[in-house]
Amino acid sequence: MTRRNDEAEATEAPVSLTRRTLFKALGAATAATTGASLLPGCGAKSSDQGAENLGFAEIPHALDFRHHLPEGYSADLLLRWGDPLDAFAGSFVPEKLDAKEQARRFGYNNDFIAFMPLDPDAGPGEGDRHCQSQNSARGLLCVNHEYTQPHLMFAGYTEASSVRGTSDAHIAVEQQACGHSVVEIEQTSDGWQPVLGSPYNRRITLTTAMEIVGAAAGDKRLQTSEDSSGTQVFGTVGNCAGGKTPWGTVLIAEEGFGGAFQGDPDNVADEVEARNHHAFGIEEGNRNWGDYDRRFDITVEPNEPNRFGWMVEYDPYDPESKPRKLTGLGRFEHEGFTVVSKPGEPVVAYGGDDDEHQFVYRFVSSDVYRPGENDHNRQLLTAGTLYAGQFREGGAGTWLPLVFGQGPLTPENGFRNQADVLIDCRRAATLLGATPMDRPEDVETNPVNDCTYVMLTKNKKRQAGDENPANPRARNTAGHVLEIVPPGRNGLRDHANDTFHWNTFLLGGNPNAEDPAERGAYGQQQPANISTHGWFANPDNVAFDGLGNMWIATDGCEDFGFHDGLWAMATEGERRAAPKHFFGCPQGGEICGPEFTPDGKTLFVAVQHPADADNSTFDTPLHRWPDNDPQLPPRPSVLAIRRDDGGSVGS
């Protein structure tokens, strides 16, 4: 099904931001700090970026029940919650949905998206051949399903009543609606379509068997009554963002896993685990999943939460492959991890812990990346060193190793071994002196300039006097973006080096806000022009096109009076950090997981929780996007966006 946009081009006069205005706004926010400066760039030699590379007709800020695209673009409605993955599942009837049926259908609240091309001459299990393909017309769409909302999925609930009163039958459906979907898709004359019944199509849910690997595997804190080995677990939950590897696997994050568990941590006998469970928001008032599935009750299985909060790696090209939880990448509320690889060098993976006052992390593998040797490469994320970032005044930064026995990570401070360091990653990073951040979400490296960008969504809990150079605003409501510049070595950036430089790439928010502490700052040149619709708030996910332009997805713009959406901008040159507004969500929705095909001619986006608003329920929703059918509720959906003339998206 194809939806077309009828929005006219925005005609408002641009907001002119001179360099002086930028530094004035920034100075008000940073007080005496000197680290957070909007600098000209990360030193890339490429001059290919500029206004001409983002020539689309910008859309205006809006807030209604539709999605919005620039003139000359169309969006195929590719996948919706409940859509079948096999050829015989039939139409979606939410009132008749049970767990077995949901396991055959696309899950709920789609988030991260990975497009994995298919080699037309290779089949399932031949990942070594597939992962070299640049096919942009056929591939696997690998999509996370972050969490469920019973009051929007089933009749008879309010948001409040669904927290503790969800029925066993509905919890069973929810557990199958979480996790991840793998769906073969193809571009046809009628647009992008799923390939029903494809041998690649797969659901990964809370009942999928997984292996636990890495330094914490087998530790006593991962052992339960059902798994005395501490190396096997069923399922994954809280799947937010993720990443792709050059050896053809997909990484999916476990973020808000604490909400799936119930019970009072103070009733857990082990003080270490009680403290641990408090840190991740486990409490008696959480969802009542533990009444249905006892492993989600910490008074029954106090170690079960320790088996969640990891990164999960799996092979989408082998539907029989067993996912692995990678303990070496640490346990926290993972937004995602993204990989940088260079031949003959260790792989480096960057990620963030999506909570207030939490940290940015980097993993460096023990062994090196060998192109084409995928059996070797698939072990790279199982052994290495995890680091937490320290961002200091003046733009200097250091990666602090989280290694048992080094610095404060000793038995005197309650760590028995490396497993403790990884399970209690947050406490370890705090003791090392890592910098508490304003909700670090997506952290990704630009393939063109080889610098790394950190999306810091917001932090309303940061008090005046508690600012730091990299997080300069108290009660940061609009968020900001940092740029990490690794040092150079042999003409390349050395991501494995333990030092780095950092810049403030932009400050989210209205550049004309009355309060200087809430004023946004964008652009580098004189003047740096953005329209009145070019500013945004609460950066969340990020993607880069083939020219190195940054595409930022937001989560929270409705607090500022307009929809969440997607903004594009250059990272170098005259248009550096000067956004243009490309996509807008229907009201109540959040955009997630922007992902380009290799040729740049299709952009996939996930619209999560449409119609999520006060008093909006399955029975009386705010609206019914995308179907607008009185028999169907609002449905989280994936769109495939294309230019009508077949050109590259954004240009």
Side-chain angles (χ1 to χ4, degrees), residues 79 85 106 139-142 181-185 194-195 201-202:
L79 290 162
L85 302 188
F106 193 65
L140 304 179
L141 210 65
C142 307
S181 294
V182 182
V183 188
E184 182 178 350
I185 60 172
V195 179
N201 291 355
R202 180 182 185 185

Side-chain angles (χ1 to χ4, degrees), residues 270 448 493 512:
D270 189 320
V448 174
R493 298 200 188 282
N512 294 318

Side-chain angles (χ1 to χ4, degrees), residues 129-355:
R129 295 175 64 184
H130 285 303
C131 71
Q132 303 302 318
S133 174
Q134 294 296 302
N135 187 2
S136 293
R138 193 178 187 100
L140 304 179
L141 210 65
C142 307
V143 184
N144 276 353
H145 302 290
E146 186 178 6
Y147 64 99
T148 51
Q149 297 172 287
H151 65 292
L152 290 171
M153 298 173 68
F154 313 114
Y157 294 109
T158 65
E159 185 172 6
S161 70
S162 68
V163 173
R164 298 294 302 163
T166 311
S167 72
D168 286 358
H170 287 160
I171 292 173
V173 172
E174 290 182 75
Q175 291 194 347
Q176 296 303 315
C178 290
H180 192 81
S181 294
V182 182
V183 188
E184 182 178 350
I185 60 172
E186 62 178 343
Q187 190 171 20
T188 72
S189 58
D190 294 324
W192 283 94
Q193 302 286 343
V195 179
L196 299 183
S198 165
Y200 296 100
N201 291 355
R202 180 182 185 185
R203 286 299 321 284
I204 296 172
T205 72
L206 264 170
T207 58
T208 301
M210 300 187 176
E211 184 181 4
I212 301 172
V213 299
D219 188 79
K220 69 177 185 179
R221 295 182 64 187
L222 296 179
Q223 297 169 3
T224 66
S225 62
E226 293 185 353
D227 171 37
S228 60
S229 74
T231 62
Q232 304 293 321
V233 64
F234 283 107
T236 182
V237 73
N239 306 104
C240 193
K244 300 184 293 186
T245 71
W247 49 90
T249 60
V250 172
L251 304 176
I252 58 179
E254 296 183 325
E255 186 191 338
F257 64 93
F261 290 88
Q262 69 183 49
D264 184 352
D266 293 334
N267 289 334
V268 174
D270 189 320
E271 292 183 2
V272 171
E273 300 306 350
R275 177 185 61 200
N276 171 25
H277 298 335
H278 275 300
F280 288 101
I282 299 174
E283 56 189 39
E284 281 188 301
N286 283 1
R287 302 285 302 280
N288 63 313
W289 281 16
D291 296 335
Y292 164 75
D293 187 342
R294 299 302 286 165
R295 67 186 174 123
F296 290 100
D297 186 335
I298 60 171
T299 63
V300 176
E301 287 287 3
N303 283 355
E304 188 71 21
N306 294 339
R307 295 144 67 84
F308 294 83
W310 307 101
M311 290 299 300
V312 181
E313 182 182 22
Y314 79 96
D315 181 357
Y317 297 119
D318 182 0
E320 302 302 320
S321 65
K322 191 173 186 178
R324 307 184 301 172
K325 297 199 177 186
L326 305 171
T327 63
L329 274 60
R331 175 177 172 268
F332 44 85
E333 294 197 20
H334 284 274
E335 176 73 14
F337 255 93
T338 55
V339 175
V340 179
S341 61
K342 298 177 182 180
E345 301 283 347
V347 296
V348 175
Y350 291 100
D353 184 350
D354 183 9
D355 207 347

